[in-house]
C-alpha cells in the first residue's frame, strides 16, 4: 500500500495510548501484511492489462514496493513472537474476497483501484495509528507512506479521462464501487478477530468514532478521485 | 536471475578486452534486463501453483530480487544513453517464446525451472563477462550473483524427489527439456542483433569457443540437477 498523495487528516488521539502488548497489534500487523502480499500478486496479475512494456515495468516496481512493506511487517510479526503465515491466515478470506469483487477489466480500472484502494486502506489504518504505542505507529506509518509510484498512476488516469468523457464516467462509477467494497471489507476484517475489533474501538473511542472515521474516509476518497480527474 | 549455487568455471579471457563503447554491451544489458523483468512476471504468475502461503511469500521475494536486478540494468542502460524499453523490445520475442515453451504445470516444475533456467542463463552470461570491460563485467556479475533464495528451492525439490521416484523421473525429464530450450533460446537471442553476436564471438574467440561454452553449460547443468537430487 502507499499510493495516496492526499495529506492525512489529524489522527485520532484517545485519552491513553494502547499497551504495547495489546494482542490487537499482532492482528493489525497480520492484516496489513496479508494486504501487502495480496496487493503484490494482484498488481503482478493485472500488469497483463498494461498497454506497453513501460507500463509493465512501472507496475512491477509498484508490486516490489508492496513487497518491501510486507517484509517490514513480517519482521515486526516475528519480533512479537508470531508466525507470520499463521497470523495472516485469518485475513485471507476477507481480503481475497475484496480483490475478487473488484477485479479490474481494463488497465485504467487497475490503476484507479491501486490508487483509490490503497488510499482507503491507508486512511483507515493511519487513523488508528494515533492510538498506538510509538514504535508500532511508526511501523504502520512506514508501510503506508506515500510511494513515488502514485504520480505515474495519476498521470496515466488524468491523461485518459481528459481525452474521453465516457471513460471518465465509467471510472467514476468504478471509484464509487471501490469505496463501497472497501468499507464492506473493512467491517469484515474487523469481525475476523475480537482483538482487532477491540483495538479499533479503543483507537476510535466508540461506535460513533468509527462512524466519524468512515465519514472522513469518504471525504478523502472524494479528494483522491478529484486528483485523478474523476 | 541468480539461482545458481554451483561455482562458476573459469571465465573466458580473450587476448584483449572489448572496448567500453562496443555496441554489443548495450544489447547485452538489454537482453539481461528483459530476462529479469520477464522472470519477475513468470514467477509471480507461477506462484498460483504454490501449495501454501509460505510458498507464495518465498516466490514473491524471489520475484522482487529479479526486479532489483532489473533496476540495476535499467540504470546501466540509461547511463549508456539507451532507452531501456526500446532496447529491450528486440528480445521480447525470443524470451517470451522460451517461457511459453517451458510453462510449468506444477509447483515443483516451476521451482526446477527457476533454479535450472536461471543457472543456465548465468553460465552463459558469466562466461562472456571475462571479456568485458571491468565496469560492465561487474554489473553483469552483480545481477547474476547467487541469491539466498536458491536454498529454498533446493530444499523444496530435494524433499519432494526423495519421497517419490515417479516425481524424480518426471522432473529429470523436465530438466533435460529446460536445457534444450535454453540452448535453442540462447541461439535465437544471439541472432536478434549483429552487435550481440559480435560481442559473444569476441568473448568466446570463435565458433569453436561457442561450442566449448555450450559443452561447459551442459556439464554445469548436470551438476545443478544433482544438487536438486535429480
Amino acid at each position: 500500500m502507499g499510493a495516496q498523495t492526499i495529506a492525512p487528516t489529524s489522527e485520532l488521539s484517545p485519552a491513553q495510548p494502547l499497551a504495547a502488548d495489546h494482542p490487537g497489534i499482532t492482528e493489525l500487523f497480520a492484516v496489513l501484511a496479508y494486504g501487502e502480499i495480496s496487493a503484490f500478486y494482484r498488481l503482478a496479475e493485472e500488469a497483463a492489462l498494461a498497454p506497453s512494456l513501460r507500463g509493465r515495468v512501472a507496475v512491477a516496481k509498484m508490486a516490489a514496493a508492496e513487497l518491501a512493506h510486507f517484509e517490514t511487517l513480517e519482521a515486526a510479526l516475528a519480533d512479537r513472537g508470531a508466525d507470520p503465515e499463521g497470523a495472516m491466515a485469518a485475513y485471507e478470506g476477507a481480503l481475497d474476497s475484496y480483490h475478487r469483487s473488484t477485479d479490474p477489466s481494463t488497465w485504467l480500472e487497475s490503476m484507479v483501484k491501486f490508487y483509490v484502494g490503497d488510499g482507503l486502506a491507508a486512511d483507515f489504518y493511519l487513523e488508528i495509528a494515533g492510538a498506538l504505542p510509538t514504535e508500532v505507529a511508526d511501523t504502520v506509518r512506514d508501510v503506508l507512506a506515500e510511494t513515488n509510484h502514485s504520480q505515474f498512476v495519476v498521470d496515466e488516469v488524468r491523461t485518459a479521462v481528459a481525452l474521453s468523457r465516457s471513460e471518465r464516467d465509467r471510472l467514476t462509477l468504478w471509484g464509487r464501487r471501490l469505496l463501497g467494497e472497501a468499507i464492506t471489507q473493512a467491517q469484515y476484517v474487523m469481525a475476523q478477530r475480537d482483538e482487532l475489533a477491540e483495538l479499533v474501538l479503543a483507537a476510535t473511542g466508540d461506535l460513533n468514532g468509527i462512524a466519524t472515521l468512515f465519514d472522513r474516509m469518504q471525504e478523502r476518497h472524494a479528494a483522491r478521485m478529484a486528483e485523478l480527474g474523476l
Side-chain angles (χ1 to χ4, degrees), chain A residues 18-198:
Chain A
L18 293 168
D21 62 353
H22 191 295
I25 294 171
T26 299
E27 298 301 320
L28 179 66
F29 284 162
V31 66
L32 284 169
Y34 192 73
E36 301 288 1
I37 193 87
S38 59
F40 172 89
Y41 278 116
R42 294 304 297 208
L43 278 171
E45 192 179 312
E46 291 164 16
L49 301 167
S52 66
L53 183 53
R54 183 176 159 271
R56 287 199 295 285
V57 166
V59 172
K61 289 178 182 175
M62 293 176 199
E66 308 271 6
L67 193 76
H69 292 157
F70 168 80
E71 289 178 321
T72 300
L73 291 158
E74 188 185 37
L77 282 165
D79 283 349
R80 297 181 70 82
D83 164 51
E85 278 83 24
M88 288 190 288
Y91 303 101
E92 281 193 58
L95 271 70
D96 289 358
S97 162
Y98 165 73
H99 284 300
R100 266 196 308 272
S101 67
T102 56
D103 192 25
S105 56
T106 67
W107 166 246
L108 290 170
E109 283 184 5
S110 169
M111 290 296 94
V112 171
K113 178 178 168 181
F114 173 73
Y115 189 76
V116 161
D118 263 21
L120 283 164
D123 285 348
F124 179 70
Y125 296 113
L126 287 174
E127 291 253 4
I128 296 169
L132 299 174
T134 311
E135 199 186 330
V136 175
D138 287 348
T139 301
V140 171
R141 292 192 190 103
D142 181 31
V143 301
L144 295 171
E146 189 187 336
T147 66
N148 57 6
H149 303 299
S150 48
Q151 198 54 50
F152 171 81
V153 177
V154 171
D155 293 345
E156 287 280 299
V157 177
R158 285 187 81 99
T159 306
V161 301
L163 290 171
S164 162
R165 171 79 192 237
S166 67
E167 190 69 86
R168 197 180 75 196
D169 292 347
R170 226 168 47 79
L171 291 173
T172 301
L173 287 175
W174 174 246
R176 268 186 223 146
R177 188 165 138 211
L178 291 170
L179 174 67
E181 294 285 351
I183 287 179
T184 302
Q185 179 227 15
Q187 288 161 343
Y188 274 122
V189 163
M190 280 191 286
Q192 294 306 303
R193 293 276 189 207
D194 289 345
E195 295 86 348
L196 187 63
E198 276 165 24

